[in-house]
Amino acid sequence: MTKTINEQLAAMRPWCARKAEAMLPQAEVPDAVQEALIAIWKASPRVRPGRDPWPLLTVVARQEIARHARRFYDANVLDRIDEKKDADLPTAELMPASGDGELSFSPRIAAALATLPERQREILLETVAEGRTNLAAASLLGVSEARVRASVARSLELLRAALAEEVPA
């Protein structure tokens, strides 16, 4: 039994929303989902009769959501760079004022973070502390997603080692 295009779009909407939520701020999710559904609608004639449409349509949706994320983060990257230039001290990023949903680290964690190279610390804070996906952090910082993934792994290893040294045996 083949699904109509409306049934396919209804089935794809929750999947698209989950993917968009993983890559974008909540305010951008509806726009990304709408763009993905339009791309699915345009791609649906390419589905061969008798074939499962899900593989093709998920690829189309994933590409459209990633395209939306790139446009969003490219547009906001200059604003973020200006905000970072305005920080008074490098330690301001490590220990922002607590309250109002801002990050706050214990002195022990802040000291361990201070041992990281600046770029690794920046990537780690964008992904782990700010909760961004690797793709979102990569777009924001102007590096590849693979570099973000590798940098986070190295940073976490260094943090574990730095924190392990502090614990008395």
Side-chain angles (χ1 to χ4, degrees):
M1 179 177 165
T2 60
K3 291 183 177 182
T4 66
I5 185 64
N6 289 337
E7 291 170 330
Q8 287 175 348
L9 292 174
M12 293 292 295
R13 181 179 293 277
W15 185 89
C16 291
R18 284 192 307 274
K19 293 297 177 188
E21 287 168 355
M23 296 174 73
L24 291 160
Q26 191 61 39
E28 289 294 313
V29 170
D31 291 340
V33 169
Q34 182 176 2
E35 289 175 12
L37 293 175
I38 290 169
I40 290 169
W41 177 74
K42 289 179 179 178
S44 62
R46 293 187 296 188
V47 176
R48 293 182 185 160
R51 303 281 302 259
D52 182 17
W54 189 259
L56 172 68
L57 300 182
T58 55
V59 168
V60 168
R62 190 178 310 121
Q63 288 174 344
E64 190 59 40
I65 292 168
R67 194 173 297 123
H68 184 89
R70 278 192 303 275
R71 283 192 310 264
F72 173 78
Y73 288 111
D74 286 347
N76 291 308
V77 116
L78 294 176
D79 295 337
R80 293 283 295 181
I81 289 171
D82 289 341
E83 288 173 13
K84 292 212 182 277
K85 285 181 185 174
D86 292 340
D88 295 334
L89 300 170
T91 55
E93 289 182 84
L94 294 177
M95 298 191 61
S98 60
D100 298 329
E102 290 189 26
L103 299 173
S104 179
F105 299 106
S106 70
R108 183 173 172 243
I109 299 295
L113 282 170
T115 65
L116 295 176
E118 183 179 342
R119 190 65 171 166
Q120 279 185 304
R121 183 174 54 243
E122 184 180 21
I123 290 172
L124 184 69
L125 289 174
E126 288 297 332
T127 55
V128 176
E130 294 288 340
R132 298 193 200 298
T133 64
N134 289 346
L135 178 62
S139 297
L140 181 69
L141 298 170
V143 297
S144 69
E145 185 177 6
R147 170 132 186 235
V148 169
R149 195 171 33 253
S151 181
V152 168
R154 279 193 306 270
S155 298
L156 291 175
E157 286 176 20
L158 291 171
L159 284 177
R160 283 186 199 105
L163 293 172
E165 289 175 5
E166 291 180 9
V167 178

